[in-house]
Amino acid sequence: MAKKLEDYPTAEAYLPERITLPALREAAQECRGCPLYKIGTQTVFGEGKRDARVMMIGEQPGDQEDKAGKPFVGPAGKILNDALAEVGIDRDEVYVANAVKHFKWEPRGTRRIHAKPNAREIQACKPWLTAELQVVKPQMVICLGATAAQALMGKDFRITKSRGEIFRDTQYAPWLMATAHPSSILRMPSSEDREAAYRALVADLQVAAHELGAAKTGR
Ligand code: URA
Ligand code: SF4
């Protein structure tokens, strides 16, 4: 009989003894905590400095990230970089991670189409994310889209209702916000909608940039 999702041990079984970023990254390459390791090419672990003040969390690697082994290097990453540059947040200051570390996809002709990770897969992968948060201890967490927000804030979290809201003193960081996923902007059919959604993303990130600036100068 085929192995069911609940038969997989979750990422917990693959965590290294010493929790450091290099040890985590290496151990995550071997993760078989859920069935997605069979679908994605490789584990796409988070990237950034251990002392990054901001952690941004996406959903899962996309087609290009899956091939490159790095988060946010494709079209969604380009939007994120543009938006960060616009509000003056240095990408170097940001640790970028995904809630789920393997690319889940379905074939459509010769293309690989993004498939949404389910709640169990998100939970199975969460130990990696929790460990990254534990090591980096960011001042600020920004969840990009519902998957990341629900991974941290619970499955009832709705971006439509709570985007841009600031959550203080959470178990993950002193300051947490969720905003739209850059890919959701790319999927919009009209250029007017895309522009409006991009402006809304920039407006949310502007709030984060202000907070960071204020923390820097102690005001
Ligand atoms: N979308 C994500 O959520 N993460 C990536 O790394 C790329 C696209
Ligand atoms: Fe492990 Fe996460 Fe990949 Fe599943 S998606 S195999 S839990 S790294």
Side-chain angles (χ1 to χ4, degrees), residues 44-45 57-66 70-77 80 91 96-100 114 144-145 147-148 181-183 186:
V44 179
F45 204 68
I57 307 171
E59 181 187 75
Q60 62 172 348
D63 180 71
Q64 293 194 31
E65 288 79 13
D66 173 74
K70 291 166 179 287
F72 284 105
V73 294
L80 187 60
R91 173 119 179 208
V96 182
N98 282 304
V100 172
H114 162 273
L144 301 169
T147 299
H181 194 291
S183 299
L186 285 168

Side-chain angles (χ1 to χ4, degrees), residues 69 78 188 192 201:
K78 162 107 180 47
M188 292 182 169
E192 287 82 6
L201 172 66

Side-chain angles (χ1 to χ4, degrees), residues 24 46 95 102-103 111 121 128 139 150 177 201:
L24 285 166
Y95 185 97
H102 272 98
F103 178 36
R111 292 181 45 197
E121 291 157 348
W128 295 123
Q139 287 170 24
Q150 289 170 356
M177 176 202 272
L201 172 66

